[in-house]
Amino acid sequence: MASNTQDTLAQLRKWRLEQDNSGPFRVYRDIRGNVYHSVTHILKETSDKTGLERWEARLGAEEATQQRNIAANRGTRTHNQAEYLLKTAQQLARQVANKRNAIHWDDNGLARIPAPITKWALDKVHPNLPRVGWSASGYARGLSGWIKENVTEIFASEFSIHHPAGFAGTCDALLGLKGHSGIVVGDWKTSVNRKVLDESHSYVSQIGAYSLGLQHLTGLRPTSGIIVLARRCGSPQTHSLDFDQLKRAEVSFMDRVERYFEALESPIQVSV
């Protein structure tokens, strides 16, 4: 375990891998030449595409592409606002806690700031969030409101991970949350419709991927996970994973990594 894991987390905000777009899909390389495949690409290629294919056939290729672009833009804007809220509130809380000599460094090397200070910082930043545009406004409002009401500690936001198994990605947040003990790995989504997230769902496996990458790079073991699905109107849908469920999500993702690379090496290549 690093003596100051908080600094290690801060360093993970900088993407240290180099993009390689020379092949049929994007991969990443480190300074030693090791190759990493995107977490989201692995999940896409190991998902059941039946429902997606039916949706595309119903809409037609042009309309389906347009809807995907709208959803991607909406998700990016919503994520950016959440990142601004967490990052700015973390900086403000750290400044105040330093002045009050209120920061406690735990055995994991994490800076523990009292929850009331974090709450004050979130309340201070929230009214001044950057606008996101009409198409994403409801989603962003719901997610930022949920963050303001539920986050008790902010350890990291939008940090990169990679793992020797050959995957890399960006995790939305590492937090303390009401109703959760320990540290929580979080992922933000936007969704027009409510979703049923069983243990085989890609969103659940994605949390497992981020947990594994975090452990590899920092030695931190998250105690739980949460998926927050921002909706067009009203409060987000949330799906929590306890410690055992998080461990199963890690196993589920590693199974998908194995299937993904087996497919890449077989004569029939995965679609891109």
Side-chain angles (χ1 to χ4, degrees), residues 210-241:
Y210 296 148
S211 178
L212 289 167
L214 179 71
Q215 291 172 63
H216 167 65
L217 294 171
T218 69
L220 283 173
R221 160 47 99 173
T223 52
S224 59
I226 192 163
I227 302 160
V228 182
L229 291 91
R231 306 290 306 286
R232 182 181 297 165
C233 300
S235 300
Q237 175 189 348
T238 60
H239 181 83
S240 295
L241 288 77

Side-chain angles (χ1 to χ4, degrees), residues 99-126:
K99 289 180 180 178
R100 298 183 181 182
N101 197 27
I103 297 179
H104 163 67
W105 295 90
D106 69 12
D107 293 339
N108 291 323
L110 288 175
R112 310 305 295 261
I113 294 174
I117 295 178
T118 299
K119 170 66 174 171
W120 169 84
L122 288 166
D123 288 344
K124 187 79 171 176
V125 176
H126 187 262

Side-chain angles (χ1 to χ4, degrees), residues 8 12 20 37 64 79 85 95 136 138 157 194 224 243:
T8 303
L12 295 182
D20 180 352
H37 295 241
H79 275 74
L85 173 58
Q95 291 170 3
S157 63
R194 294 184 66 85
S224 59
F243 185 70

Side-chain angles (χ1 to χ4, degrees), residues 86-98:
L86 289 169
K87 182 177 68 175
T88 309
Q90 183 185 27
Q91 292 171 346
L92 187 58
R94 186 84 176 257
Q95 291 170 3
V96 172
N98 269 327

Side-chain angles (χ1 to χ4, degrees), residues 37-55:
H37 295 241
S38 165
V39 167
T40 53
H41 182 70
I42 291 171
L43 292 170
K44 174 187 172 185
E45 295 303 325
T46 54
S47 295
D48 182 356
K49 299 183 179 67
T50 304
L52 178 61
E53 290 169 352
R54 289 174 179 169
W55 174 79

